[in-house]
Amino acid sequence: MAKNLVFPHGYSSSLSQKDTQRAIKIIKDTFQVKLAEALNLDRVTAPLMVTKASGINDDLNGVERKVHFTMKEIDGTAEVVQSLAKWKRMALHRYGYTEGEGIYTDMNAIRRDDDCDNTHSLFVDQWDWEKVITKEQRTVEYLQATVSAIIKALAETNAILQEKYPVLTTKINEDIFFITSQELEDMYPDKSGKERENLITKEHGTVFIMGIGARLKSGHRHDGRAPDYDDWSLNGDILVWDKELNAALEISSMGIRVDSDSLKKQLEIANATERSSFPYHQGVLSGTLPLTIGGGLGQSRICMLLLGKAHVGEVQVSIWPDDMREECAENGIILL
């Protein structure tokens, strides 16, 4: 059996492959408009690759290998992006965006070291967004209000989708349960981070776990987070209960971004102070780059959630192990 796979008992897709493609278009067309309206965002184009020397690429948990290559006419090494957390903040500065304004984009990435399973693919597609904020808005209250606006946009999208396809039954609970990673560890000290996520999300439906990246009282981190984009005290993950997989589904990692003080602190904790010489980091440390909030919303994960799919490969085209394709087909899951 392919590792880490879940096969829901008696599973079959509610929609044909043709209707699945039509429904995906409804979701993508609708949600990005709702999101832009809720957060005052403009759509912009985004890079697929950046130079290694720029320091712009996202390091994720710091261990993932980037896809890289040399170029015919340009010196140095290029890297396929893993996310656009740093690029977006620099773009807001270059494009002249001011407080209360922001941008979003279709982000396509390759994460070669991700384990393929029901919710993970080597191919990542997100709505990446970033918004300029004030110093006074760097608060938990502002973070939570932003999460609420995103979930409202998701619920409105789901309602429009189900008008077209009443056979779909996903429910989005707009009454978000907010909890810190330390509070969650205190509740379930003997459970792993993933087990805690499942327990709390099954109970509440929609959860935002705050404060991810720093070590908890136990000495462990709830989850990894790069030290140079999110402020670990002002970030979090949006989780929604997936009834098909009987598990919490993370649809967004987001947060208020580092300012000069939190960047210095987190680089020291991560033993990564050498990054301070990169242009992006210099921009944060000098105050040249604006204060921002931002994140990524998984396009394929949102589609699989709203369409009641059991595998992300039912809504996106990627590369999968042969044994995974075979076992999925045997269990009613047809990968694109």
Side-chain angles (χ1 to χ4, degrees), residues 242-282:
D242 188 317
K243 59 184 178 60
E244 292 294 339
L245 299 180
N246 195 36
L249 181 67
E250 179 190 320
I251 62 170
S252 179
S253 172
M254 59 172 287
I256 291 172
R257 306 309 197 185
V258 289
D259 59 7
S260 178
D261 291 341
S262 56
L263 177 60
K264 290 176 184 176
K265 178 182 177 181
Q266 292 176 188
L267 287 178
E268 289 175 0
I269 292 172
N271 293 317
T273 54
E274 73 281 354
R275 298 185 194 177
S276 298
S277 61
F278 287 131
Y280 162 82
H281 300 76
Q282 283 293 306

Side-chain angles (χ1 to χ4, degrees), residues 120-143:
H120 292 88
S121 169
L122 303 184
F123 170 65
V124 178
D125 54 345
Q126 294 184 166
W127 287 288
D128 249 330
W129 65 275
E130 199 84 10
K131 181 178 180 180
V132 181
I133 61 174
T134 66
K135 181 178 180 180
E136 291 70 29
Q137 289 172 324
R138 298 189 79 258
T139 64
V140 170
E141 291 75 20
Y142 186 81
L143 175 65

